[in-house]
Amino acid sequence: MSLSKEEIERYARHIMLKEVGGPGQQRLKRATAALVGIGGLGAPAALYLAAAGVGRLILIDDDAIALSNLQRQILFTTASVGESKTGRAAAALVALNPSVAFDQRQTRLGPANAEELLADAEIVLDGSDSFSTRFAVNAACHALGLPLVAGAVGRWDGQLGLFASGLTKAKPLSQRLPCYRCFVSEEPPQVETCAAAGVIGALPGVIGAAMALEAVKHLAGAGQTLAGRLWLFDGLRLESRTLVLPPDPACPVCGDHSAALIPHRKGVCSGPNAP
Amino acid sequence: MQVTINGETRVARQGDSVETLLQSVGLVPQKVAVERNGEIVPRSRYAITMLADGDRLEVVQFVGGG
Protein backbone atom coordinates (compact mmCIF):
# COMPACT_ATOMS: atom_id res chain seq x y z
CA MET A 1 0.00 0.00 0.00
CA SER A 2 1.98 2.99 -1.22
CA LEU A 3 1.53 6.61 -0.19
CA SER A 4 0.20 9.27 -2.55
CA LYS A 5 1.96 12.60 -3.06
CA GLU A 6 -0.68 14.25 -0.87
CA GLU A 7 -0.20 11.65 1.87
CA ILE A 8 3.56 12.15 1.81
CA GLU A 9 2.95 15.86 2.43
CA ARG A 10 0.26 15.29 5.08
CA TYR A 11 2.40 12.84 7.06
CA ALA A 12 5.76 14.50 6.36
CA ARG A 13 6.52 15.06 10.08
CA HIS A 14 5.96 11.35 10.73
CA ILE A 15 7.90 10.13 7.72
CA MET A 16 11.00 12.11 8.72
CA LEU A 17 11.15 10.24 12.04
CA LYS A 18 13.53 7.33 11.62
CA GLU A 19 11.32 5.12 13.85
CA VAL A 20 8.30 5.65 11.54
CA GLY A 21 9.50 6.56 8.05
CA GLY A 22 7.62 5.55 4.89
CA PRO A 23 7.24 1.88 5.95
CA GLY A 24 5.81 2.83 9.37
CA GLN A 25 3.36 5.29 7.80
CA GLN A 26 2.22 2.59 5.37
CA ARG A 27 1.65 0.23 8.30
CA LEU A 28 -0.56 2.90 9.92
CA LYS A 29 -2.50 3.28 6.65
CA ARG A 30 -3.14 -0.49 6.48
CA ALA A 31 -4.22 -0.71 10.13
CA THR A 32 -7.65 -0.89 11.76
CA ALA A 33 -8.03 0.31 15.35
CA ALA A 34 -11.15 -0.08 17.49
CA LEU A 35 -12.02 2.48 20.16
CA VAL A 36 -14.32 1.44 22.98
CA GLY A 37 -15.88 4.56 24.50
CA ILE A 38 -15.77 7.85 22.60
CA GLY A 39 -15.64 10.07 25.68
CA GLY A 40 -12.94 11.88 27.61
CA LEU A 41 -10.26 9.36 26.57
CA GLY A 42 -11.67 8.11 23.29
CA ALA A 43 -12.15 11.59 21.84
CA PRO A 44 -8.50 12.74 21.98
CA ALA A 45 -7.27 9.23 21.12
CA ALA A 46 -9.52 9.15 18.03
CA LEU A 47 -8.39 12.63 16.97
CA TYR A 48 -4.72 11.66 17.09
CA LEU A 49 -5.27 8.29 15.38
CA ALA A 50 -7.26 9.91 12.57
CA ALA A 51 -4.69 12.69 12.21
CA ALA A 52 -1.92 10.07 12.15
CA GLY A 53 -3.50 8.33 9.17
CA VAL A 54 -4.58 5.05 10.77
CA GLY A 55 -6.56 3.58 7.87
CA ARG A 56 -9.77 2.56 9.58
CA LEU A 57 -11.26 3.37 12.98
CA ILE A 58 -14.11 1.41 14.57
CA LEU A 59 -15.95 3.76 16.96
CA ILE A 60 -17.96 1.92 19.64
CA ASP A 61 -20.22 3.86 22.02
CA ASP A 62 -23.95 3.76 22.73
CA ASP A 63 -24.12 7.17 24.39
CA ALA A 64 -25.50 10.56 23.40
CA ILE A 65 -23.57 13.77 24.03
CA ALA A 66 -24.52 15.48 27.31
CA LEU A 67 -23.76 19.07 28.30
CA SER A 68 -21.67 17.79 31.23
CA ASN A 69 -19.43 15.89 28.77
CA LEU A 70 -18.16 19.07 27.12
CA GLN A 71 -15.88 20.05 30.02
CA ARG A 72 -13.47 17.34 28.77
CA GLN A 73 -14.75 15.59 25.61
CA ILE A 74 -13.22 18.02 23.17
CA LEU A 75 -14.37 16.26 20.01
CA PHE A 76 -17.90 17.59 20.59
CA THR A 77 -19.48 21.03 20.47
CA THR A 78 -22.35 22.71 22.28
CA ALA A 79 -24.56 22.42 19.19
CA SER A 80 -24.20 18.63 19.21
CA VAL A 81 -25.65 18.00 22.69
CA GLY A 82 -28.19 15.16 22.44
CA GLU A 83 -26.71 13.63 19.29
CA SER A 84 -24.94 10.26 19.18
CA LYS A 85 -21.28 10.29 20.10
CA THR A 86 -20.23 7.92 17.32
CA GLY A 87 -22.07 9.99 14.69
CA ARG A 88 -20.66 13.35 15.78
CA ALA A 89 -17.20 11.86 16.27
CA ALA A 90 -17.16 10.37 12.76
CA ALA A 91 -18.30 13.70 11.25
CA ALA A 92 -15.58 15.66 13.06
CA LEU A 93 -12.89 13.08 12.27
CA VAL A 94 -13.78 12.91 8.56
CA ALA A 95 -13.33 16.67 8.41
CA LEU A 96 -9.90 16.25 9.98
CA ASN A 97 -8.78 13.42 7.69
CA PRO A 98 -11.11 12.37 4.83
CA SER A 99 -8.89 9.43 3.86
CA VAL A 100 -9.64 7.53 7.08
CA ALA A 101 -12.59 5.07 7.04
CA PHE A 102 -14.92 5.12 10.05
CA ASP A 103 -17.22 2.34 11.24
CA GLN A 104 -19.85 3.63 13.66
CA ARG A 105 -21.12 1.05 16.14
CA GLN A 106 -23.73 2.78 18.26
CA THR A 107 -24.06 -0.04 20.74
CA ARG A 108 -22.95 -0.95 24.24
CA LEU A 109 -20.10 -3.45 24.28
CA GLY A 110 -20.57 -6.36 26.67
CA PRO A 111 -19.42 -9.96 27.04
CA ALA A 112 -21.98 -11.18 24.46
CA ASN A 113 -20.90 -8.92 21.57
CA ALA A 114 -17.30 -7.92 22.43
CA GLU A 115 -15.53 -10.41 20.17
CA GLU A 116 -17.83 -9.68 17.24
CA LEU A 117 -17.32 -5.90 17.60
CA LEU A 118 -13.53 -6.17 17.91
CA ALA A 119 -12.78 -9.03 15.51
CA ASP A 120 -11.75 -6.78 12.59
CA ALA A 121 -9.34 -4.67 14.62
CA GLU A 122 -5.57 -4.93 14.73
CA ILE A 123 -5.42 -3.04 18.03
CA VAL A 124 -8.06 -1.99 20.58
CA LEU A 125 -8.13 1.20 22.66
CA ASP A 126 -10.33 1.05 25.74
CA GLY A 127 -11.44 4.34 27.26
CA SER A 128 -14.74 3.06 28.59
CA ASP A 129 -16.27 4.12 31.88
CA SER A 130 -16.96 0.88 33.75
CA PHE A 131 -14.94 -2.06 34.99
CA SER A 132 -17.47 -4.56 33.60
CA THR A 133 -16.93 -3.15 30.08
CA ARG A 134 -13.15 -3.14 30.64
CA PHE A 135 -13.26 -6.79 31.68
CA ALA A 136 -15.30 -7.73 28.57
CA VAL A 137 -12.87 -5.84 26.29
CA ASN A 138 -9.87 -7.49 27.95
CA ALA A 139 -11.31 -11.02 27.68
CA ALA A 140 -12.16 -10.48 24.00
CA CYS A 141 -8.70 -9.06 23.20
CA HIS A 142 -7.02 -12.01 24.91
CA ALA A 143 -9.23 -14.51 23.06
CA LEU A 144 -8.76 -12.76 19.69
CA GLY A 145 -5.01 -12.29 20.18
CA LEU A 146 -5.22 -8.49 19.99
CA PRO A 147 -3.12 -5.91 21.84
CA LEU A 148 -5.19 -3.71 24.18
CA VAL A 149 -4.30 -0.13 25.08
CA ALA A 150 -6.35 0.56 28.22
CA GLY A 151 -6.44 4.03 29.72
CA ALA A 152 -8.42 5.08 32.78
CA VAL A 153 -9.00 8.31 34.68
CA GLY A 154 -10.58 9.40 37.96
CA ARG A 155 -10.38 12.77 39.74
CA TRP A 156 -6.71 13.77 39.13
CA ASP A 157 -5.24 10.31 38.46
CA GLY A 158 -4.64 8.46 35.22
CA GLN A 159 -3.51 4.89 34.55
CA LEU A 160 -2.34 3.44 31.25
CA GLY A 161 -1.14 0.07 30.03
CA LEU A 162 -0.67 -1.87 26.81
CA PHE A 163 -1.86 -5.39 27.54
CA ALA A 164 -0.52 -7.94 25.10
CA SER A 165 -1.36 -11.28 26.72
CA GLY A 166 -3.22 -12.30 23.57
CA LEU A 167 -0.01 -12.07 21.54
CA THR A 168 2.00 -14.29 23.91
CA LYS A 169 -0.55 -16.87 25.11
CA ALA A 170 1.16 -19.77 23.33
CA LYS A 171 4.49 -19.04 25.02
CA PRO A 172 5.83 -20.43 28.31
CA LEU A 173 4.91 -18.37 31.40
CA SER A 174 8.36 -16.75 31.62
CA GLN A 175 7.84 -15.15 28.19
CA ARG A 176 4.19 -14.18 28.56
CA LEU A 177 2.89 -10.63 28.88
CA PRO A 178 0.13 -9.65 31.33
CA CYS A 179 -3.50 -8.82 30.59
CA TYR A 180 -5.63 -6.11 32.25
CA ARG A 181 -6.91 -8.63 34.83
CA CYS A 182 -3.30 -9.24 36.00
CA PHE A 183 -3.57 -5.61 37.23
CA VAL A 184 -7.28 -5.36 38.20
CA SER A 185 -8.08 -8.92 39.23
CA GLU A 186 -11.75 -8.45 40.15
CA GLU A 187 -14.32 -5.70 39.77
CA PRO A 188 -13.53 -3.19 42.53
CA PRO A 189 -16.52 -2.63 44.85
CA GLN A 190 -17.97 0.89 45.06
CA VAL A 191 -15.40 2.51 42.81
CA GLU A 192 -16.50 6.00 41.86
CA THR A 193 -17.18 6.83 38.22
CA CYS A 194 -16.26 10.18 36.69
CA ALA A 195 -19.93 11.15 37.11
CA ALA A 196 -19.80 10.45 40.85
CA ALA A 197 -16.27 11.53 41.75
CA GLY A 198 -15.38 14.12 39.12
CA VAL A 199 -12.43 14.36 36.77
CA ILE A 200 -10.30 17.35 35.84
CA GLY A 201 -10.89 18.20 32.18
CA ALA A 202 -7.37 18.16 30.78
CA LEU A 203 -6.49 14.82 32.42
CA PRO A 204 -8.24 12.56 29.86
CA GLY A 205 -6.50 14.68 27.22
CA VAL A 206 -3.12 13.62 28.63
CA ILE A 207 -4.05 9.96 29.01
CA GLY A 208 -6.07 9.76 25.76
CA ALA A 209 -3.19 11.27 23.76
CA ALA A 210 -0.81 8.78 25.42
CA MET A 211 -3.18 5.96 24.39
CA ALA A 212 -2.90 7.11 20.77
CA LEU A 213 0.89 7.36 21.15
CA GLU A 214 1.13 3.77 22.36
CA ALA A 215 -1.17 2.52 19.59
CA VAL A 216 0.83 4.35 16.90
CA LYS A 217 4.12 3.00 18.33
CA HIS A 218 2.75 -0.54 18.31
CA LEU A 219 1.37 -0.26 14.77
CA ALA A 220 4.45 1.43 13.33
CA GLY A 221 6.85 -0.82 15.25
CA ALA A 222 8.54 2.15 16.94
CA GLY A 223 10.31 2.23 20.28
CA GLN A 224 9.32 0.35 23.42
CA THR A 225 5.61 0.18 24.19
CA LEU A 226 4.14 -0.17 27.66
CA ALA A 227 3.63 -3.94 27.19
CA GLY A 228 4.46 -5.51 30.56
CA ARG A 229 4.51 -2.13 32.29
CA LEU A 230 2.03 0.39 33.68
CA TRP A 231 2.13 4.17 33.59
CA LEU A 232 0.59 5.96 36.57
CA PHE A 233 -0.02 9.70 36.27
CA ASP A 234 -0.73 12.04 39.19
CA GLY A 235 -2.15 15.29 37.82
CA LEU A 236 -2.24 17.08 41.18
CA ARG A 237 1.55 16.83 41.53
CA LEU A 238 2.32 16.38 37.84
CA GLU A 239 4.33 13.29 38.61
CA SER A 240 4.29 9.95 36.90
CA ARG A 241 5.78 6.52 37.52
CA THR A 242 6.28 3.50 35.31
CA LEU A 243 5.98 0.13 37.03
CA VAL A 244 6.71 -3.41 35.95
CA LEU A 245 3.54 -5.52 35.64
CA PRO A 246 4.26 -9.26 35.62
CA PRO A 247 1.61 -11.73 34.41
CA ASP A 248 -0.33 -13.33 37.27
CA PRO A 249 -0.07 -17.13 36.83
CA ALA A 250 -3.49 -17.40 38.55
CA CYS A 251 -5.13 -14.67 36.43
CA PRO A 252 -8.76 -15.61 35.64
CA VAL A 253 -8.28 -14.60 31.97
CA CYS A 254 -4.68 -15.31 30.94
CA GLY A 255 -3.49 -17.55 33.77
CA ASP A 256 -2.65 -21.22 33.43
CA HIS A 257 -6.00 -22.60 34.55
CA SER A 258 -8.20 -19.95 33.02
CA ALA A 259 -11.37 -20.38 31.01
CA ALA A 260 -9.49 -18.80 28.10
CA LEU A 261 -7.71 -22.11 27.58
CA ILE A 262 -11.03 -23.88 27.07
CA PRO A 263 -12.19 -23.68 23.42
CA HIS A 264 -14.50 -20.74 22.96
CA ARG A 265 -18.16 -21.62 23.33
CA LYS A 266 -19.11 -20.00 20.04
CA GLY A 267 -16.68 -22.22 18.12
CA VAL A 268 -17.85 -25.33 19.92
CA CYS A 269 -21.61 -24.94 19.96
CA SER A 270 -22.82 -22.43 17.42
CA GLY A 271 -20.48 -22.73 14.46
CA PRO A 272 -21.50 -24.27 11.12
CA ASN A 273 -20.47 -27.72 12.41
CA ALA A 274 -22.41 -27.43 15.65
CA PRO A 275 -23.81 -30.73 16.90
CA MET B 1 12.83 -4.63 59.97
CA GLN B 2 11.57 -1.46 58.34
CA VAL B 3 9.55 -1.02 55.17
CA THR B 4 7.96 2.08 53.69
CA ILE B 5 4.35 2.08 52.52
CA ASN B 6 3.18 5.13 50.56
CA GLY B 7 6.29 6.94 51.79
CA GLU B 8 5.68 6.24 55.49
CA THR B 9 8.06 4.05 57.44
CA ARG B 10 6.56 1.06 59.24
CA VAL B 11 8.04 -1.68 61.34
CA ALA B 12 7.40 -5.15 59.94
CA ARG B 13 8.16 -8.54 61.44
CA GLN B 14 10.25 -11.24 59.82
CA GLY B 15 7.81 -13.49 57.96
CA ASP B 16 5.25 -10.74 57.27
CA SER B 17 3.80 -11.01 53.78
CA VAL B 18 2.19 -8.41 51.52
CA GLU B 19 -1.15 -9.86 52.62
CA THR B 20 -0.31 -9.37 56.32
CA LEU B 21 0.68 -5.78 55.61
CA LEU B 22 -2.53 -5.02 53.68
CA GLN B 23 -4.60 -6.43 56.54
CA SER B 24 -2.65 -4.43 59.13
CA VAL B 25 -3.33 -1.15 57.32
CA GLY B 26 -6.97 -2.11 56.66
CA LEU B 27 -6.95 -2.03 52.86
CA VAL B 28 -9.53 -3.86 50.74
CA PRO B 29 -7.55 -5.97 48.22
CA GLN B 30 -10.28 -5.68 45.55
CA LYS B 31 -9.82 -1.89 45.30
CA VAL B 32 -6.03 -1.66 45.09
CA ALA B 33 -2.91 -3.09 43.55
CA VAL B 34 0.34 -3.26 45.49
CA GLU B 35 3.64 -2.15 44.08
CA ARG B 36 6.81 -3.47 45.71
CA ASN B 37 10.12 -1.91 44.67
CA GLY B 38 8.76 -0.78 41.31
CA GLU B 39 6.87 -3.95 40.44
CA ILE B 40 3.19 -4.86 40.84
CA VAL B 41 2.77 -7.92 43.08
CA PRO B 42 0.35 -10.39 41.42
CA ARG B 43 -2.79 -10.71 43.52
CA SER B 44 -2.38 -14.49 43.84
CA ARG B 45 1.08 -13.98 45.35
CA TYR B 46 0.19 -11.63 48.25
CA ALA B 47 0.39 -14.42 50.84
CA ILE B 48 3.66 -15.86 49.57
CA THR B 49 5.47 -12.56 48.90
CA MET B 50 7.49 -11.97 52.06
CA LEU B 51 8.58 -8.48 53.01
CA ALA B 52 12.27 -7.71 53.21
CA ASP B 53 14.03 -4.97 55.13
CA GLY B 54 14.03 -1.72 53.15
CA ASP B 55 11.15 -2.70 50.86
CA ARG B 56 9.33 0.25 49.33
CA LEU B 57 5.63 -0.42 48.85
CA GLU B 58 3.01 1.77 47.22
CA VAL B 59 -0.70 1.14 47.18
CA VAL B 60 -2.23 1.90 43.77
CA GLN B 61 -5.94 2.79 43.87
CA PHE B 62 -7.71 1.65 40.71
CA VAL B 63 -9.42 4.24 38.54
CA GLY B 64 -11.87 3.17 35.85
CA GLY B 65 -13.36 6.31 34.34
CA GLY B 66 -13.16 7.29 30.71
Side-chain angles (χ1 to χ4, degrees):
Chain A
M1 195 180 272
S2 61
L3 299 172
S4 67
K5 199 175 165 190
E6 191 194 315
E7 286 171 324
I8 289 168
E9 186 179 344
R10 180 184 280 266
Y11 307 120
R13 303 298 186 277
H14 272 171
I15 293 167
M16 67 178 64
L17 296 171
K18 69 175 171 27
E19 295 85 356
V20 181
Q25 191 62 47
Q26 287 174 33
R27 281 193 286 274
L28 295 178
K29 184 179 175 180
R30 279 196 300 269
T32 297
L35 292 109
V36 184
I38 312 299
L41 295 167
L47 280 163
Y48 276 111
L49 293 180
V54 173
R56 182 172 159 228
L57 298 180
I58 303 169
L59 309 173
I60 306 165
D61 199 310
D62 68 337
D63 229 352
I65 300 159
L67 188 59
S68 62
N69 295 154
L70 300 183
Q71 152 263 20
R72 65 195 183 284
Q73 300 183 15
I74 54 170
L75 195 50
F76 309 125
T77 61
T78 307
S80 55
V81 168
E83 295 181 43
S84 88
K85 287 189 176 179
T86 53
R88 289 315 305 163
L93 295 166
V94 163
L96 169 62
N97 192 343
S99 64
V100 176
F102 298 96
D103 285 3
Q104 299 174 43
R105 307 285 166 86
Q106 197 184 344
T107 182
R108 186 151 192 92
L109 183 147
N113 63 359
E115 286 189 33
E116 184 197 330
L117 286 167
L118 303 176
D120 289 348
E122 192 175 329
I123 191 166
V124 176
L125 291 87
D126 187 358
S128 63
D129 58 2
S130 80
F131 284 100
S132 58
T133 306
R134 291 174 182 278
F135 281 16
V137 172
N138 177 65
C141 286
H142 182 75
L144 295 166
L146 297 175
L148 164 63
V149 180
V153 289
R155 300 187 191 215
W156 297 84
D157 289 319
Q159 298 171 353
L160 176 65
L162 190 153
F163 301 96
S165 67
L167 305 179
T168 58
K169 55 188 170 184
K171 296 189 174 181
L173 181 64
S174 63
Q175 295 169 35
R176 273 186 238 161
L177 288 164
C179 79
Y180 179 73
R181 295 286 294 273
C182 297
F183 175 45
V184 184
S185 65
E186 58 188 299
E187 221 171 295
Q190 297 138 20
V191 162
E192 299 153 323
T193 60
C194 287
V199 60
I200 194 74
L203 176 68
V206 174
I207 304 299
M211 289 168 70
L213 179 64
E214 286 298 295
V216 165
K217 279 164 58 190
H218 175 85
L219 293 171
Q224 184 191 7
T225 68
L226 275 174
R229 299 184 297 153
L230 281 174
W231 188 54
L232 307 182
F233 182 86
D234 175 350
L236 266 185
R237 299 180 62 87
L238 212 84
E239 288 178 353
S240 71
R241 295 184 295 143
T242 308
L243 311 178
V244 171
L245 177 71
D248 188 339
C251 171
V253 172
C254 72
D256 273 331
H257 303 288
S258 70
L261 296 178
I262 299 165
H264 190 249
R265 181 181 292 272
K266 191 175 170 187
V268 173
C269 300
S270 63
N273 301 318
Chain B
M1 63 179 178
Q2 287 194 332
V3 300
T4 61
I5 178 160
N6 291 351
E8 286 181 25
T9 305
R10 287 182 70 94
V11 175
R13 287 169 310 192
Q14 210 69 38
D16 275 359
S17 66
V18 167
E19 187 170 79
T20 322
L21 186 76
L22 277 187
Q23 284 166 354
S24 74
V25 294
L27 281 163
V28 182
Q30 291 95 327
K31 293 178 86 164
V32 297
V34 177
E35 168 205 348
R36 176 173 172 253
N37 304 329
E39 190 166 327
I40 296 286
V41 181
R43 176 82 181 277
S44 67
R45 304 225 154 159
Y46 283 4
I48 57 169
T49 302
M50 298 302 156
L51 301 181
D53 191 39
D55 272 357
R56 285 175 297 108
L57 297 118
E58 297 278 339
V59 173
V60 179
Q61 303 275 346
F62 298 130
V63 294

